[in-house]
Amino acid sequence: MENNVDGRKQRALFEKLRSSKSLELSGIICLIIVYAILVQSMTGTFLSSSNIENILKQIVVYGILSCALTFPLINGTFDLSIDSICALGGTCCALLTTSGLYGLKLPLVAAVPVTIVICCLVGIVNGLIVSRTKIDPFVVTLGTQTAVRGAVYIVSNNTSVSSLPDEFKFLGSGSVGGIPISIIILITIFVIVAIILSKTTFGRQVYANGGNYTAAFLSGINVKSVRFTTYVISAGLSAIAGILSTARVGSATPNAATGYATIAISACAIGGISLSGGSGLVSGVFLGALMMGMITNGMNLMYIGSNWQLVVSGLLMVAAVFYSQWFNKFSSKRSTQK
């Protein structure tokens, strides 16, 4: 009798574990641990506090871009324009606080919201086209990615914008209580996005849209409005990433964040975000971005050449996504069987 009770308790525990959302993160967590131990054994400095802080600083920009991409991905669409919007945000904010943007010159506290609004206009264009037409989101955002990048070159007159005010640079180099401001902003954004997607009606609608667009429509959700809003949010977050990128480097360049959309896609995929929409956790996106930063940082510590880094990074991305997805499925099957 006692054995039967214990058996039922074990089955209940495994069922609870199987249905837990945290199980989705098991693959990437295991991958991070294994990679960290491996690189630490080869370098001896990978897990030092200073290097961990350096990794977190490195992932600020594409970590926020990964957050930006999370909204359209979970919603069942796509946004390739985030890296160009990021460059636009950094350039506009730099011009507004230095020489002026077409005659408009503002202090940083006003330049930041104005920059976000400017970038959100791109999100509005993306959102309107994707939600109101049947054009593939991949094609739409590929077009805006190219167009916005051209606009960045036009606005900046093909030159970098430097001589930023000290308060602007402080966003990238300053700290509060020993914690870099950029890392505080990164973590704050991830927490806010996690709350929005998991605790609000809008967040549940985003998941519903991505899971089954037709069913969401039939259930009364304004599917077009939700899809439109995800692109506006994506653009706004990309603008913030661009501002922090400019603050860290100390100048805004027209080619800033080139290729970061690919990194953001990889971080989301490694973190368990379904590219077909409807599933994924924000905490997984953070771990995916962290994994991407660890890969680059680890190869630098091991003095792997830049050309080989591209090869190794690409292979590791594929392997990481494959392993993470395989481990999650394996864990789920094991939990079900027991």
Side-chain angles (χ1 to χ4, degrees), residues 84-98:
S84 293
I85 297 175
C86 176
L88 178 66
T91 300
C92 287
C93 196
L95 287 172
L96 285 169
T97 55
T98 54

Side-chain angles (χ1 to χ4, degrees), residues 18-322:
R18 186 188 68 81
S19 61
S20 172
K21 289 185 177 181
S22 61
L23 184 63
E24 298 179 22
L25 307 179
S26 54
I28 182 63
I29 291 174
C30 287
L31 194 63
I32 287 175
I33 293 174
V34 171
Y35 183 84
I37 294 174
L38 177 63
V39 179
Q40 173 66 19
S41 66
M42 299 178 68
T43 63
T45 59
F46 184 71
L47 294 178
S48 64
S49 58
S50 59
N51 191 58
I52 292 174
E53 180 180 311
N54 186 41
I55 292 174
L56 290 174
K57 285 182 179 179
Q58 289 176 348
I59 71 170
V60 165
V61 177
Y62 55 79
I64 296 176
L65 288 178
S66 299
C67 266
L69 185 61
T70 297
F71 281 91
L73 279 183
I74 292 179
N75 191 47
T77 56
F78 218 80
D79 191 355
L80 283 175
S81 65
I82 54 174
D83 53 358
S84 293
I85 297 175
C86 176
L88 178 66
T91 300
C92 287
C93 196
L95 287 172
L96 285 169
T97 55
T98 54
S99 59
L101 179 62
Y102 295 111
L104 180 62
K105 192 173 182 180
L106 299 169
L108 181 64
V109 67
V112 170
V114 169
T115 297
I116 294 175
V117 169
I118 292 173
C119 291
C120 282
L121 293 176
V122 180
I124 289 173
V125 173
N126 281 335
L128 284 174
I129 297 175
V130 171
S131 63
R132 302 291 174 176
T133 71
K134 294 183 179 181
I135 303 177
D136 192 294
F138 185 91
V139 177
V140 173
T141 56
L142 178 62
T144 52
Q145 178 191 53
T146 305
V148 172
R149 183 66 67 175
V152 173
Y153 279 100
I154 293 172
V155 169
S156 64
N157 198 26
N158 292 323
T159 60
S160 60
V161 183
S162 55
S163 301
L164 302 178
D166 292 337
E167 61 268 24
F168 200 147
K169 296 178 181 178
F170 185 73
L171 289 176
S173 60
S175 61
V176 176
I179 304 176
I181 291 178
S182 59
I183 294 178
I184 294 175
I185 295 174
L186 171 70
I187 295 174
T188 301
I189 288 176
F190 266 103
V191 170
I192 293 174
V193 170
I195 292 173
I196 291 173
L197 287 174
S198 63
K199 303 295 183 182
T200 67
T201 300
F202 172 75
R204 290 189 288 272
Q205 290 175 342
V206 172
Y207 278 99
N209 262 21
N212 191 320
Y213 187 82
T214 302
F217 172 76
L218 294 176
S219 67
I221 295 175
N222 189 338
V223 290
K224 292 183 178 180
S225 176
V226 172
R227 183 155 287 185
F228 168 82
T229 305
T230 59
Y231 278 97
V232 178
I233 294 174
S234 177
L237 290 175
S238 299
I240 296 174
I243 293 170
L244 292 176
S245 175
T246 298
R248 182 185 178 191
V249 177
S251 63
T253 57
N255 62 348
T258 299
Y260 273 31
T262 303
I263 298 177
I265 294 169
S266 301
C268 289
I270 292 174
I273 298 294
S274 173
L275 298 184
S276 59
S279 65
L281 300 173
V282 176
S283 51
V285 177
F286 176 79
L287 293 175
L290 181 63
M291 186 70 227
M292 296 300 297
M294 290 172 61
I295 290 174
T296 302
N297 181 272
M299 289 192 293
N300 286 333
L301 290 178
M302 290 186 289
Y303 300 103
I304 297 177
S306 58
N307 293 334
W308 279 105
Q309 281 194 27
L310 293 174
V311 176
V312 175
S313 292
L315 294 176
L316 283 176
M317 286 179 200
V318 175
V321 173
F322 174 80

